[in-house]
Amino acid sequence: MARTALVTGGTRGIGAAISKALKAEGYNVAASYAGNDEAAAKFTEETGIATYKWNVADYDESKAGIEKVEAELGPIDIVVANAGITRDAPFHKMTPEQWHQVIDTNLTGVFNTVHPVWPGMRERKFGRVIVISSINGQKGQFAQVNYAATKAGDLGIVKSLAQEGARAGITANAICPGYIATEMVMAVPEKVREAIIGQIPAGRLGEPEEIARCVAFLASEDSQFINGSTISANGAQFFV
Ligand code: CAA
């Protein structure tokens, strides 16, 4: 029977490409989204992928949403914690609200997404936890003290989960995308974006599908011994 995969923030940007790639691999896919009903309906219409609405920053909502997915599609064996937001501002202008919004969604959201599925993965002795971090969690970024903190935190989460899950057949890995052609990156002022592209040796932004292919590999049975690792996919912009 096909395994079930959950992709948070799975209807737009990198998440949409991941949902589609996992469906193409034959998994039952659930894509969660926070607010954009129109985009989600369009996504389901175009792809046939089931969408579910909840706020990853809220533990109870996440748990209830995950229970609904499992009741409808089956136990979640693959979880892709992808949902994320930016609230960029130079540190001297960053408000506590901007700090907390990003921490709640990008970091606590990973806890809220993985924690409810973890006991089932332990029982079934199989699991794939894939967290979408960022190049900016590895190198830091001007105007992203909040975002970089969450993305660096993701790496701590997967390294710890990897050690806890290894004997139960569960792997936990992170992918650090560089600058990918999504709405999030297109929201960066054009002049700044052009300067960033100038720093990418590949000379271009990445494509969402290039990240989705990394996820498909990490989700597969073949990746069992890759655990606690970080895959950088950034066009040679930064090396760890
Ligand atoms: N490095 C150095 N200096 C920078 C800079 C950078 N990357 N970006 C901006 N600055 C400078 C500006 O040139 C400006 O300098 P001057 O005052 O000398 O002109 C100063 O910093 C900031 O100016 P402002 O006070 O006017 O800044 P602002 O309050 O209007 O904020 C900003 C502007 C939010 C920082 C905007 O420039 C911006 O969005 N920058 C991009 C930040 C970024 O890269 N975010 C990544 C988003 S994509 C993503 O997050 C996905 C992923 O995982 C990779």
Side-chain angles (χ1 to χ4, degrees), residues 20-40:
K20 289 191 251 182
L22 293 179
K23 185 177 183 225
E25 293 289 324
Y27 302 107
N28 298 320
V29 179
S32 82
Y33 69 101
N36 194 332
D37 293 317
E38 205 182 313

Side-chain angles (χ1 to χ4, degrees), residues 51-73:
T51 53
Y52 296 83
K53 186 175 183 176
W54 72 79
N55 177 4
V56 296
D58 184 300
Y59 185 81
D60 293 337
E61 262 191 48
S62 296
K63 193 163 184 289
I66 284 166
E67 280 168 6
K68 187 161 186 262
V69 170
E70 295 201 316
E72 293 179 4
L73 300 186

Side-chain angles (χ1 to χ4, degrees), residues 14 85-90 92-93 133-137 139 141-144 147 151 177-180 182 184-189 191-193 196 199 237:
I14 292 174
I85 59 170
T86 54
R87 296 289 181 269
D88 294 354
H92 64 281
K93 291 184 184 172
S133 175
S134 165
I135 186 175
N136 292 343
K139 70 170 185 59
Q141 172 58 40
F142 189 102
Q144 285 200 314
Y147 184 87
K151 296 299 178 175
Y179 283 77
I180 308 298
T182 60
M184 186 182 273
V185 169
M186 292 310 171
V188 172
K191 230 174 105 193
V192 179
R193 195 171 63 245
I196 291 168
Q199 293 159 9
Q237 188 182 352

Side-chain angles (χ1 to χ4, degrees), residues 141-223:
Q141 172 58 40
F142 189 102
Q144 285 200 314
V145 164
N146 48 5
Y147 184 87
T150 64
K151 296 299 178 175
D154 287 341
L155 306 184
I157 290 175
V158 298
K159 287 172 189 168
S160 305
L161 286 179
Q163 294 174 49
E164 293 196 25
R167 290 204 184 170
I170 307 170
T171 67
N173 293 288
I175 298 173
C176 287
Y179 283 77
I180 308 298
T182 60
E183 280 173 46
M184 186 182 273
V185 169
M186 292 310 171
V188 172
E190 196 181 350
K191 230 174 105 193
V192 179
R193 195 171 63 245
E194 289 306 321
I196 291 168
I197 294 171
Q199 293 159 9
I200 305 173
R204 64 170 177 89
L205 297 173
E207 293 300 327
E209 291 73 21
E210 293 178 300
I211 304 306
R213 286 194 284 274
C214 299
V215 173
F217 176 65
L218 289 176
S220 72
E221 310 274 338
D222 291 339
S223 69

Side-chain angles (χ1 to χ4, degrees), residues 4 13 21 24 97 108 163 188 193 232:
T4 297
E97 193 189 14
T108 307
Q163 294 174 49
V188 172
R193 195 171 63 245
S232 299

